[in-house]
CSV table of all heavy atoms in Angstrom, one decimal:
chain,number,residue,atom,x,y,z
A,1,ARG,N,109.1,114.0,113.8
A,1,ARG,CA,110.0,113.7,112.7
A,1,ARG,C,109.2,113.1,111.5
A,1,ARG,O,109.6,113.4,110.4
A,1,ARG,CB,111.0,112.6,113.3
A,1,ARG,CG,112.0,112.2,112.3
A,1,ARG,CD,113.1,111.3,113.0
A,1,ARG,NE,114.1,111.0,112.0
A,1,ARG,CZ,114.1,109.9,111.2
A,1,ARG,NH1,113.1,109.1,111.3
A,1,ARG,NH2,115.1,109.7,110.4
A,2,THR,N,108.2,112.3,111.8
A,2,THR,CA,107.4,111.7,110.7
A,2,THR,C,106.7,112.8,109.9
A,2,THR,O,106.7,112.8,108.7
A,2,THR,CB,106.3,110.8,111.3
A,2,THR,OG1,107.0,109.7,111.9
A,2,THR,CG2,105.5,110.2,110.2
A,3,TRP,N,106.1,113.8,110.6
A,3,TRP,CA,105.4,114.9,109.9
A,3,TRP,C,106.4,115.8,109.1
A,3,TRP,O,106.1,116.3,108.1
A,3,TRP,CB,104.6,115.7,110.9
A,3,TRP,CG,103.3,115.0,111.2
A,3,TRP,CD1,103.0,114.4,112.3
A,3,TRP,CD2,102.2,114.8,110.3
A,3,TRP,NE1,101.8,113.8,112.2
A,3,TRP,CE2,101.2,114.0,111.0
A,3,TRP,CE3,101.9,115.2,109.0
A,3,TRP,CZ2,100.0,113.6,110.4
A,3,TRP,CZ3,100.7,114.8,108.4
A,3,TRP,CH2,99.8,114.0,109.1
A,4,LYS,N,107.6,116.0,109.7
A,4,LYS,CA,108.6,116.8,109.0
A,4,LYS,C,109.0,116.1,107.7
A,4,LYS,O,109.1,116.7,106.6
A,4,LYS,CB,109.8,117.0,109.9
A,4,LYS,CG,110.8,117.9,109.4
A,4,LYS,CD,111.9,118.1,110.4
A,4,LYS,CE,113.0,119.1,109.9
A,4,LYS,NZ,114.0,119.3,110.9
A,5,ILE,N,109.2,114.8,107.8
A,5,ILE,CA,109.6,114.0,106.6
A,5,ILE,C,108.5,114.1,105.5
A,5,ILE,O,108.7,114.3,104.3
A,5,ILE,CB,110.0,112.6,106.9
A,5,ILE,CG1,111.3,112.6,107.7
A,5,ILE,CG2,110.0,111.7,105.7
A,5,ILE,CD1,111.7,111.2,108.3
A,6,LEU,N,107.2,113.9,106.0
A,6,LEU,CA,106.1,113.9,105.1
A,6,LEU,C,105.9,115.3,104.4
A,6,LEU,O,105.6,115.4,103.3
A,6,LEU,CB,104.8,113.6,105.8
A,6,LEU,CG,104.6,112.1,106.1
A,6,LEU,CD1,103.3,111.9,107.0
A,6,LEU,CD2,104.4,111.3,104.8
A,7,SER,N,106.2,116.3,105.2
A,7,SER,CA,106.1,117.7,104.6
A,7,SER,C,107.1,117.9,103.5
A,7,SER,O,106.7,118.4,102.4
A,7,SER,CB,106.4,118.7,105.7
A,7,SER,OG,105.4,118.7,106.7
A,8,PHE,N,108.3,117.4,103.7
A,8,PHE,CA,109.3,117.6,102.6
A,8,PHE,C,109.2,116.6,101.5
A,8,PHE,O,109.5,116.9,100.3
A,8,PHE,CB,110.7,117.5,103.2
A,8,PHE,CG,111.1,118.7,104.0
A,8,PHE,CD1,111.3,118.6,105.4
A,8,PHE,CD2,111.2,119.9,103.5
A,8,PHE,CE1,111.7,119.7,106.1
A,8,PHE,CE2,111.5,121.1,104.2
A,8,PHE,CZ,111.8,120.9,105.6
A,9,VAL,N,108.7,115.4,101.7
A,9,VAL,CA,108.7,114.4,100.7
A,9,VAL,C,107.4,114.3,100.0
A,9,VAL,O,107.3,114.0,98.8
A,9,VAL,CB,109.0,113.0,101.4
A,9,VAL,CG1,108.8,111.8,100.4
A,9,VAL,CG2,110.4,112.9,101.9
A,10,VAL,N,106.3,114.7,100.6
A,10,VAL,CA,104.9,114.6,100.0
A,10,VAL,C,104.4,116.0,99.7
A,10,VAL,O,104.0,116.3,98.6
A,10,VAL,CB,104.0,113.8,100.8
A,10,VAL,CG1,102.6,113.8,100.2
A,10,VAL,CG2,104.5,112.4,101.0
A,11,ALA,N,104.3,116.8,100.7
A,11,ALA,CA,103.6,118.1,100.6
A,11,ALA,C,104.3,119.1,99.6
A,11,ALA,O,103.6,119.6,98.7
A,11,ALA,CB,103.4,118.8,101.9
A,12,LEU,N,105.6,119.3,99.8
A,12,LEU,CA,106.3,120.3,98.9
A,12,LEU,C,106.3,119.8,97.5
A,12,LEU,O,106.0,120.6,96.6
A,12,LEU,CB,107.7,120.6,99.5
A,12,LEU,CG,107.7,121.4,100.8
A,12,LEU,CD1,109.1,121.6,101.3
A,12,LEU,CD2,107.0,122.7,100.6
A,13,PRO,N,106.6,118.6,97.2
A,13,PRO,CA,106.6,118.1,95.8
A,13,PRO,C,105.1,118.2,95.2
A,13,PRO,O,104.9,118.5,94.0
A,13,PRO,CB,107.1,116.7,95.8
A,13,PRO,CG,107.9,116.6,97.0
A,13,PRO,CD,107.3,117.5,98.0
A,14,GLY,N,104.1,117.9,96.1
A,14,GLY,CA,102.7,118.0,95.6
A,14,GLY,C,102.4,119.5,95.2
A,14,GLY,O,101.7,119.7,94.2
A,15,VAL,N,102.8,120.4,96.0
A,15,VAL,CA,102.6,121.8,95.7
A,15,VAL,C,103.3,122.2,94.4
A,15,VAL,O,102.8,122.9,93.5
A,15,VAL,CB,103.0,122.7,96.9
A,15,VAL,CG1,103.0,124.2,96.5
A,15,VAL,CG2,102.1,122.5,98.0
A,16,ALA,N,104.6,121.7,94.3
A,16,ALA,CA,105.4,122.0,93.1
A,16,ALA,C,104.7,121.4,91.8
A,16,ALA,O,104.6,122.1,90.8
A,16,ALA,CB,106.8,121.5,93.2
A,17,VAL,N,104.1,120.2,91.9
A,17,VAL,CA,103.5,119.6,90.7
A,17,VAL,C,102.2,120.4,90.4
A,17,VAL,O,101.9,120.7,89.2
A,17,VAL,CB,103.1,118.1,91.0
A,17,VAL,CG1,102.2,117.6,90.0
A,17,VAL,CG2,104.4,117.3,91.0
A,18,CYS,N,101.5,120.8,91.4
A,18,CYS,CA,100.3,121.6,91.1
A,18,CYS,C,100.6,123.0,90.5
A,18,CYS,O,99.9,123.4,89.6
A,18,CYS,CB,99.5,121.9,92.4
A,18,CYS,SG,98.7,120.4,93.1
A,19,MET,N,101.7,123.6,90.9
A,19,MET,CA,102.1,124.9,90.3
A,19,MET,C,102.6,124.7,88.9
A,19,MET,O,102.2,125.5,88.0
A,19,MET,CB,103.3,125.5,91.2
A,19,MET,CG,102.8,126.0,92.5
A,19,MET,SD,104.2,126.6,93.5
A,19,MET,CE,104.9,127.9,92.5
A,20,LEU,N,103.3,123.6,88.6
A,20,LEU,CA,103.7,123.3,87.3
A,20,LEU,C,102.5,123.0,86.4
A,20,LEU,O,102.4,123.5,85.2
A,20,LEU,CB,104.7,122.1,87.3
A,20,LEU,CG,105.2,121.6,85.9
A,20,LEU,CD1,106.0,122.7,85.3
A,20,LEU,CD2,105.9,120.3,86.0
A,21,ASN,N,101.6,122.3,86.9
A,21,ASN,CA,100.3,122.0,86.1
A,21,ASN,C,99.6,123.3,85.8
A,21,ASN,O,99.2,123.5,84.6
A,21,ASN,CB,99.4,121.0,86.9
A,21,ASN,CG,98.2,120.6,86.2
A,21,ASN,OD1,98.2,120.5,85.0
A,21,ASN,ND2,97.1,120.4,86.9
A,22,MET,N,99.4,124.2,86.7
A,22,MET,CA,98.7,125.4,86.5
A,22,MET,C,99.5,126.3,85.5
A,22,MET,O,98.9,126.9,84.6
A,22,MET,CB,98.6,126.2,87.8
A,22,MET,CG,97.3,126.7,88.2
A,22,MET,SD,95.9,126.0,87.5
A,22,MET,CE,95.3,127.3,86.5
A,23,TYR,N,100.8,126.3,85.6
A,23,TYR,CA,101.6,127.1,84.7
A,23,TYR,C,101.5,126.6,83.2
A,23,TYR,O,101.3,127.4,82.3
A,23,TYR,CB,103.1,127.1,85.1
A,23,TYR,CG,104.0,127.8,84.2
A,23,TYR,CD1,104.1,129.2,84.2
A,23,TYR,CD2,104.8,127.1,83.3
A,23,TYR,CE1,104.9,129.9,83.3
A,23,TYR,CE2,105.7,127.7,82.4
A,23,TYR,CZ,105.7,129.1,82.4
A,23,TYR,OH,106.5,129.8,81.5
A,24,LEU,N,101.6,125.3,83.1
A,24,LEU,CA,101.5,124.7,81.7
A,24,LEU,C,100.1,124.9,81.1
A,24,LEU,O,99.9,125.2,79.9
A,24,LEU,CB,101.8,123.2,81.8
A,24,LEU,CG,103.3,122.9,82.1
A,24,LEU,CD1,103.5,121.4,82.2
A,24,LEU,CD2,104.2,123.5,81.1
A,25,LYS,N,99.0,124.8,82.0
A,25,LYS,CA,97.7,125.1,81.5
A,25,LYS,C,97.5,126.5,81.0
A,25,LYS,O,96.8,126.8,80.1
A,25,LYS,CB,96.6,124.7,82.5
A,25,LYS,CG,96.5,123.2,82.6
A,25,LYS,CD,95.3,122.9,83.5
A,25,LYS,CE,95.2,121.4,83.7
A,25,LYS,NZ,94.1,120.9,83.0
A,26,MET,N,98.1,127.5,81.8
A,26,MET,CA,98.0,128.9,81.4
A,26,MET,C,98.8,129.2,80.2
A,26,MET,O,98.4,130.1,79.4
A,26,MET,CB,98.5,129.8,82.6
A,26,MET,CG,97.5,129.8,83.7
A,26,MET,SD,95.8,130.2,83.3
A,26,MET,CE,96.1,131.9,82.8
A,27,GLN,N,99.9,128.4,79.9
A,27,GLN,CA,100.6,128.7,78.6
A,27,GLN,C,99.8,128.3,77.4
A,27,GLN,O,99.9,128.9,76.4
A,27,GLN,CB,101.9,127.9,78.7
A,27,GLN,CG,102.9,128.3,79.7
A,27,GLN,CD,103.3,129.8,79.5
A,27,GLN,OE1,103.5,130.2,78.4
A,27,GLN,NE2,103.4,130.5,80.6
A,28,GLU,N,99.0,127.2,77.6
A,28,GLU,CA,98.1,126.8,76.5
A,28,GLU,C,96.9,127.6,76.3
A,28,GLU,O,96.3,127.8,75.2
A,28,GLU,CB,97.6,125.3,76.7
A,28,GLU,CG,98.7,124.3,76.8
A,28,GLU,CD,98.2,123.0,77.2
A,28,GLU,OE1,97.0,122.8,77.4
A,28,GLU,OE2,99.0,122.0,77.4
């Protein structure tokens, strides 16, 4: 249960932030 919560609360938003960062850098 702890790892499931960590996956949804930490890992997925972390991946989303990294993808957004890469997208914005490629736009510039």
